[in-house]
Amino acid sequence: MQNYRIRTARFQLIISFFSSLMLFAAMQIFFWFVPSDHALLISALIFFFSFLIQFILETNALTKDYRLLLDHLDNVDLFVKTLSSGKLSARMKIENGGAISHVAQSLNELADKIDTQVKSLQRLVDENVQMNVKVKNEAVTAERQRLARDLHDAVSQQLFALSMLASAAEKTIHSNPDLAAENIADVSDIARKAQGEMRALLLHLRPVRLNNESLDKGLGRLIHELDGKTTIHFEAAIDPVLGLTKGVENHLFRLSQEALSNALRHSEATRVVLSLHEKDQLVTLTIFDNGQGFDPKREKVASYGLKTMKERAEEIGGHFMLTTHEGEGTSIHIRVPIHREEKGV
């Protein structure tokens, strides 16, 4: 603003000087035709007073315009600060004509657009909250339906078979003891399978997170609990792995739960081995069972559960590999890179 005032004063001096100079020349031409002894003095006085009056009048006018411009700029600055403070309903008063009026109109239009965008963002947030609630409700419903389907497809059918075999054994225990003994043996086998199904379902319902436990301690505790409550022999070779984020640890823990649950439900294994190791900035999780295995090309067997495990491993940048053959057991191999943050020196 200081430079602007200096330039304006300089420009006004030049305009006033040349205007007065032209008046001085006109007076000299006049005295050329009307000679006078004081022609030069009169012309000089007229030049001086003309220059002084023009300069004072123009400077006064420019000062008023300058003050008016400052007031407009202060209003613009106040309006911008008001918008920045969050009061998006504020609008500038538009006066008739002038460049400042166009600026005020543009700022008001900008405020309208910002206000509209904020309303749209708030609406999107509300819709996002509603969508999250809907998705959670749908996920809960889907999980309940899955559990109900699993209970119906496996446990409830096995309980029905138990009931039929027990009834048959009761009827033939005196007339045909050998057949009754076979039925009782089948009852024992089906009860064992039903128990495995129930333990697998309960394993799915366990908390996914490790809370304050490290991954190696959580897996060790899980293997210890299963080894004491099932007929399967569980073995564990678990090394502490430092530098894993909580998200990666929770994913690996959940993958272990799902793999162990599948072994309990489908493998008919007598031995399950879980190992967790670190090598070359990779954490490796392996779950092996010596069960009956399966053909991975069969869509019914390898569909939803294994796809979910593969997707969960890929979510943390890992690699999922399944190795299985009918009658030769199943091995699940997961490798995840470790990204440790470098500490500053």
Side-chain angles (χ1 to χ4, degrees):
M1 282 300 176
Q2 186 69 25
N3 292 334
Y4 170 78
R5 284 183 289 185
I6 293 174
R7 288 196 301 269
T8 302
R10 185 182 302 167
F11 176 76
Q12 185 55 44
L13 282 171
I14 294 172
I15 295 296
S16 299
F17 175 78
F18 280 104
S19 298
S20 300
L21 187 62
M22 291 178 64
L23 183 58
F24 176 81
M27 290 302 299
Q28 287 296 99
I29 294 173
F30 173 77
F31 284 118
W32 176 269
F33 294 100
V34 184
S36 174
D37 295 337
H38 303 288
L40 184 60
L41 177 61
I42 293 172
S43 298
L45 289 174
I46 291 175
F47 170 82
F48 175 75
F49 285 110
S50 173
F51 174 78
L52 184 61
I53 292 171
Q54 284 188 72
F55 182 74
I56 292 173
L57 292 176
E58 292 297 331
T59 302
N60 185 53
L62 288 173
T63 301
K64 289 181 179 179
D65 291 339
Y66 174 74
R67 289 175 179 173
L68 183 61
L69 177 61
L70 282 181
D71 291 338
H72 287 312
L73 291 178
D74 287 339
N75 290 334
V76 170
D77 181 62
L78 179 62
F79 177 69
V80 172
K81 290 180 179 178
T82 302
L83 290 181
S84 300
S85 66
K87 189 178 180 181
L88 299 179
S89 61
R91 296 294 181 271
M92 286 193 69
K93 183 179 179 181
I94 300 176
E95 299 180 358
N96 296 328
I100 296 297
S101 298
H102 294 295
V103 173
Q105 179 66 31
S106 299
L107 286 173
N108 286 340
E109 291 176 358
L110 178 62
D112 290 336
K113 291 180 180 179
I114 294 175
D115 193 22
T116 302
Q117 290 177 352
V118 169
K119 290 178 181 178
S120 299
L121 287 174
Q122 291 176 349
R123 184 172 62 253
L124 288 174
V125 170
D126 293 337
E127 292 175 357
N128 188 37
V129 171
Q130 295 174 1
M131 186 178 296
N132 286 337
V133 173
K134 183 179 179 181
V135 168
K136 289 180 180 179
N137 290 335
E138 290 178 352
V140 171
T141 302
E143 185 66 13
R144 287 176 178 175
Q145 291 175 348
R146 187 188 68 81
L147 289 174
R149 184 173 59 251
D150 289 344
L151 285 171
H152 177 269
D153 292 344
V155 180
S156 63
Q157 293 182 9
Q158 290 170 344
L159 291 176
F160 177 76
L162 283 175
S163 176
M164 296 296 294
L165 288 171
S167 177
E170 183 181 9
K171 293 179 180 179
T172 58
I173 191 168
H174 296 294
S175 60
N176 194 342
D178 294 336
L179 180 59
E182 291 179 3
N183 289 335
I184 293 173
D186 291 338
V187 167
S188 176
D189 183 59
I190 293 175
R192 179 180 54 80
K193 291 181 179 179
Q195 186 182 35
E197 291 280 355
M198 287 300 299
R199 294 196 184 282
L201 290 174
L202 291 174
L203 185 60
H204 269 293
L205 294 176
R206 290 173 61 92
V208 178
R209 300 185 183 277
L210 291 167
N211 295 325
N212 295 324
E213 283 185 318
S214 60
L215 178 61
D216 57 298
K217 291 182 178 179
L219 290 176
R221 175 178 49 79
L222 180 63
I223 291 296
H224 178 73
E225 292 178 1
L226 290 175
D227 191 41
K229 296 179 180 179
T230 66
T231 57
I232 300 176
H233 175 63
F234 287 88
E235 298 177 11
I238 303 172
D239 294 337
V241 181
L242 303 178
L244 296 178
T245 65
K246 287 298 179 185
V248 172
E249 285 190 331
N250 287 330
H251 268 61
L252 290 175
F253 186 70
R254 184 57 176 172
L255 285 166
S256 302
Q257 284 182 308
E258 293 176 355
L260 293 173
S261 174
N262 289 336
L264 286 171
R265 297 179 62 187
H266 307 297
S267 70
E268 296 187 9
T270 59
R271 178 172 171 264
V272 173
V273 180
L274 183 146
S275 65
L276 180 75
H277 302 290
E278 176 196 351
K279 184 179 180 181
D280 298 330
Q281 295 294 308
L282 289 172
V283 56
T284 302
L285 173 68
T286 303
I287 299 96
F288 166 77
D289 69 72
N290 65 345
Q292 61 183 353
F294 61 92
D295 183 358
K297 296 181 180 180
R298 290 171 55 191
E299 182 179 357
K300 182 178 179 181
V301 175
S303 58
Y304 181 75
L306 294 175
K307 287 180 180 178
T308 301
M309 294 178 68
K310 185 174 184 295
E311 291 172 358
R312 192 183 297 277
E314 291 174 350
E315 284 178 3
I316 52 177
H319 175 73
F320 177 90
M321 184 173 64
L322 171 73
T323 303
T324 183
H325 298 284
E326 292 186 359
E328 297 182 10
T330 301
S331 177
I332 291 176
H333 192 73
I334 300 167
R335 290 182 301 170
V336 180
I338 304 174
H339 296 286
R340 293 187 174 96
E341 297 183 356
E342 295 184 0
K343 298 181 179 179
V345 179

